[in-house]
Amino acid sequence: DAKHLVPNKMRDFFCTINLDQEEVFRTQVVEKSLSPYFGEEFYFEIPRTFQWLSFYIYDKSVLQKDLRIGKVSIKKEDLCNYTGKENWFMLQPVDSNSEVQGKVHLELKLNELITDNGSVCQQLVVHIKECHGLPLINGQNCDPYATVSLVGPSRNDQKKTKVKKKTSNPQFNETFYFEVTRSSSYTKKSQFQVEEEDIEKLEVRVDLWNNGNLVQDIFLGEIKVPVKVLRNDSFQAWYLLQPRENGNKSSKTDDLGSLRLNICYTEDCVLPSEYYTSLRNLLLKSADVQPISASAAYILSEVCRDKYDAVLPLVRLLLHHHKLVPFVAAVAELDLKDTQEANTIFRGNTLATRCVDEMMKIVGKHYLKVTLKPVIDEICESPKPCEIDPIKLREGDNVEINMENLRYYVDKVFREIVRSSISCPTLMCDVFYSLRHLAAKRFPNDPHVQYSAVSSFVFLRFFAVAVVSPHTFHLRPHHPDAQTSRTLTLISKAIQTLGSWGSLTKTKLSSFKETFMCEFFKTFQEETFTESVKKFLDDVSSTESKEPSGVSEPVHLKEGEMYKRAQGRTRIGKKNFKKRWFCLTSREFTYHKQQDKEPIFTIPIKNILAVEKLDESSFNKKNMFQVLHGEKPLYIQANNCVEASEWIEALCRVTRCNQKRLSFYHPSAFLNGNWLCCKATIESSEGCARCTADVPADTQIEIDGDRETERIYSLFTINRSKLQKLEEACGSIAVYQGPRKEPDDYSNFTIEDSVATFHTLQQIIDIVEKLNESHEKYQKKRSSSAKYGSEENPIVGKVS
């Protein structure tokens, strides 16, 4: 959220997230506010290198261009200082001279020339080769040119390159010559005086500009290189473009307002798979360790301050290797040992409950979409008033009509859920089966506990949470408005109650804190509701085989607006790019003229042969990819690099098991009678580059096991002191068998078997030390191979 924004009038605000100058996400517009609450979460993989992560606050305008109020920009190197914390940031002014990104490749040389009379003078040769990663201007590739200047105390010689059209990676390849010193016998009248020592004060300045044609040119960045670094050698390097020295300076930064952010940024250096064999094997055998508290996976959760940090990579790794179900069963059994009453079963935030929560989010993503998305869309797009709290009713509200509306929505959501057991993923069913039988074993005299063990997850922690926060589960693109959010909260409360086995009793109803909810639930006291819940819970906690999810209904995977190039199916008309609405399901990939319109073009998923990036040089457009199928390639331009990466990943995941997938493709387009990449003149010729995704994989869950293991290694490294403390605690317990004298040293740890735990800890510490050595060797190799000034490691800052 933001507060105290300027101007001091009620305005409509939205916020964007930018990688350098490229917008990758945009919040919904919050109307008529000075302190807008956005409440939106964005999670994304970063598909390219970047310098700044920036957040811009805009004042929405109907007739004019949206006004940028201010920004928060955080350097990539500083993100680790803010990760995992909630911080208020003061908005900084947006100055065009500070909005830069990209890099430039220069070669500089200082020549000595002998004049006709035999004297010696010096000449500077500047070869500007190319630029990479210049920003988009108004969403399109820029028209860049460069000015090259030799600047000194008494001179400023400037020369200019040609303008390159529609490209963010211009190839200039232009050379400029500057006179540095003249011989003492030089007789031609000079416009400036040059002495030998002046070379110490000269510098080469390169400025990048976007050619504005009829409007003002836009500054894209600059670099400065002192001539003295050249001596008598040639010097070439890549430089990151920098803002102007006077850019982004203002004395009134306090007046713009502030923005509250919670940023979680992780960056992992993943080594080849063989380096992780020992750690991976130690983690994967966790379910077999007795007791489970002595396993590497359990110890990971013990030493991490926030269990969630450990749970996410751990669940993904165990899922990837099909080891999650036995591990969840083992930690759930440990939980149940400490559970004294059946009605509190699986209610805490323990390792077991968090593992199941994370598993449901990953595995149940498509299940949620096919079950809830249609009804959530109806509630959000055509909302009916549902407030039944007398205190919150507005003037003119009719509580009886509102109660009918709420009952209609609750019935519809409940009906969709209890009918959905056929679509519940097998892995979720296997976990629920284990939990159900463990609960019945722990409380054999309670006939309801086997149901409450399952309902506490599938209703309370899965469906009810998805209803109240549909944007978090990708059921809606944005956080719902206040009225809709309240409606969803009431529906979620109802679903939690209906899903709690045995909750529809008079004693339970009397325990409601809100009288109005108690009155509302009196209308639900029907046997059919409890029987429907019981049947649903029986179905989703059964190990009997089900029909594959999505046989009767295609699973909706992704949709959004992008640009596609005309495929030339008709001879009339120029091939151009048109905005279209794209939709991907488990059966087909379609595009439409507008959302909710009939598809213009459909590609069955089974017909897709490959999905790959397209070189920018093909059409001078960024963020392009191609879908290869039976007809001509479908060329698509996404709105930003993150969106392009997500579409490619989604399409690859759903098509990787296609039998006729290609192994080779053309990375560029077929234009003017030849392929731009390999110059082949036959359009049907085999591709010249190997496809990046030609190996069949799990079409439901895309997990990189090595990356998750690297994340776990990083967590062990960060918490090395806690590992040693736990090791000392195990040693103390093993040696001293009497009562604990200093419980504070290890009372927060679960140590059932000190000897087994100590043995696992030694293995973990030994493995972490070996991985530390491997990382150090890699970093040394990387730093020696990526020379400072190379494209991979460009020179940062003004060289002075």
Side-chain angles (χ1 to χ4, degrees), residues 219-233:
F219 176 75
L220 301 178
E222 70 175 13
I223 64 159
K224 294 180 179 180
V225 185
V227 174
K228 64 183 180 182
V229 303
L230 301 179
R231 306 301 176 191
N232 292 321
D233 298 324

Side-chain angles (χ1 to χ4, degrees), residues 672-725:
N672 302 322
N674 66 75
W675 289 101
L676 299 180
C677 42
C678 60
K679 306 305 178 187
T681 55
I682 301 173
E683 192 169 3
S684 60
S685 62
E686 187 182 15
C688 56
R690 180 171 286 279
C691 289
T692 55
D694 59 352
V695 181
D698 187 343
T699 59
Q700 292 299 316
I701 309 164
E702 187 74 9
I703 294 173
D704 183 340
D706 293 337
R707 181 175 180 178
E708 306 305 334
T709 313
E710 168 63 29
R711 182 98 292 271
I712 291 170
Y713 151 75
S714 299
L715 292 170
F716 276 135
T717 303
I718 293 166
N719 295 285
R720 176 68 186 271
S721 61
K722 286 189 178 179
L723 287 173
Q724 291 172 335
K725 192 174 181 181

Side-chain angles (χ1 to χ4, degrees), residues 657-670:
C657 291
N658 287 359
Q659 294 182 350
K660 295 182 179 180
R661 281 190 64 89
L662 298 175
S663 295
F664 292 88
Y665 78 107
H666 290 284
S668 289
F670 186 83

Side-chain angles (χ1 to χ4, degrees), residues 296-397:
Y298 196 91
I299 288 170
L300 175 68
S301 72
E302 288 281 272
V303 298
C304 288
R305 188 183 65 171
D306 186 347
K307 272 189 170 59
Y308 180 77
D309 291 340
V311 165
L312 182 57
L314 184 59
V315 167
R316 291 172 70 86
L317 180 69
L318 295 174
L319 266 175
H320 185 61
H321 292 280
H322 311 291
K323 296 284 187 180
L324 183 66
V325 176
F327 178 75
V328 167
V331 291
E333 192 170 11
L334 182 62
D335 259 16
L336 289 171
K337 285 182 183 179
D338 297 328
T339 306
Q340 302 305 318
E341 296 181 17
N343 62 356
T344 62
I345 192 167
F346 299 133
R347 291 299 173 94
N349 278 324
T350 63
L351 177 60
T353 58
R354 290 198 172 196
C355 282
V356 178
D357 286 351
E358 200 56 46
M359 177 275 296
M360 292 190 297
K361 282 183 185 177
I362 297 169
V363 178
K365 187 160 50 175
H366 300 325
Y367 176 37
L368 272 180
K369 280 189 177 180
V370 79
T371 305
L372 289 183
K373 194 174 190 317
V375 65
I376 294 293
D377 285 343
E378 179 188 338
I379 295 167
C380 292
E381 290 166 11
S382 306
K384 298 177 181 180
C386 294
E387 185 56 72
I388 58 173
D389 183 352
I391 299 172
K392 295 184 178 182
L393 286 172
R394 293 180 296 189
E395 190 177 345
D397 280 354

Side-chain angles (χ1 to χ4, degrees), residues 71-212:
K71 69 174 182 178
V72 172
S73 289
I74 305 171
K75 264 190 173 181
K76 177 185 174 182
E77 294 78 15
D78 296 334
L79 282 171
C80 57
N81 299 329
Y82 303 105
T83 189
K85 305 171 190 172
E86 203 171 80
N87 294 282
W88 280 100
F89 295 88
M90 299 301 297
L91 289 177
Q92 302 299 317
V94 180
D95 175 7
S96 60
N97 288 336
S98 69
E99 306 290 294
V100 304
Q101 74 173 60
K103 53 192 173 185
V104 60
H105 191 193
L106 279 188
E107 182 178 7
L108 305 173
K109 190 173 183 181
L110 206 55
N111 288 336
E112 287 191 347
L113 299 180
I114 300 175
T115 61
D116 294 339
N117 60 9
S119 60
V120 176
C121 69
Q122 288 186 303
Q123 181 188 57
L124 175 67
V125 183
V126 180
H127 180 193
I128 179 165
K129 294 186 173 183
E130 58 184 320
C131 291
H132 277 184
L134 297 181
L136 299 177
I137 304 296
N138 298 324
Q140 299 296 321
N141 281 332
C142 53
D143 295 336
Y145 70 90
T147 59
V148 182
S149 308
L150 182 62
V151 182
S154 58
R155 65 187 289 178
N156 187 355
D157 296 352
Q158 186 179 94
K159 299 182 180 182
K160 177 181 167 184
T161 68
K162 294 177 181 176
V163 176
K164 299 296 179 180
K165 292 289 185 181
K166 302 297 177 194
T167 177
S168 296
N169 301 320
Q171 302 283 329
F172 291 114
N173 279 320
E174 294 192 41
T175 305
F176 302 100
Y177 300 91
F178 297 91
E179 196 176 58
V180 177
T181 60
R182 293 191 178 90
S183 63
S184 56
S185 59
Y186 190 72
T187 56
K188 187 176 180 181
K189 186 177 179 181
S190 175
Q191 294 177 352
F192 51 85
Q193 300 296 320
V194 180
E195 296 178 4
E196 200 62 46
E197 62 269 16
D198 280 348
I199 195 169
E200 296 292 320
K201 301 175 183 178
L202 294 177
E203 66 179 7
V204 178
R205 192 180 76 208
V206 178
D207 295 83
L208 269 294
W209 299 85
N210 177 63
N211 183 39

Side-chain angles (χ1 to χ4, degrees), residues 396-414:
D397 280 354
N398 185 316
V399 70
E400 292 180 358
I401 293 175
N402 288 5
M403 194 172 286
E404 286 178 14
N405 293 338
L406 182 60
R407 176 63 193 260
Y408 167 76
Y409 283 147
V410 170
D411 279 344
K412 194 160 188 177
V413 172
F414 179 81

Side-chain angles (χ1 to χ4, degrees), residues 68 141 268 292 319 368 375 393 436 439 494 538 624 628 645:
R68 290 194 288 190
N141 281 332
D268 296 314
I292 189 66
L319 266 175
L368 272 180
V375 65
L393 286 172
R436 176 178 179 169
D538 280 333
M624 288 204 65
L628 307 179
S645 178

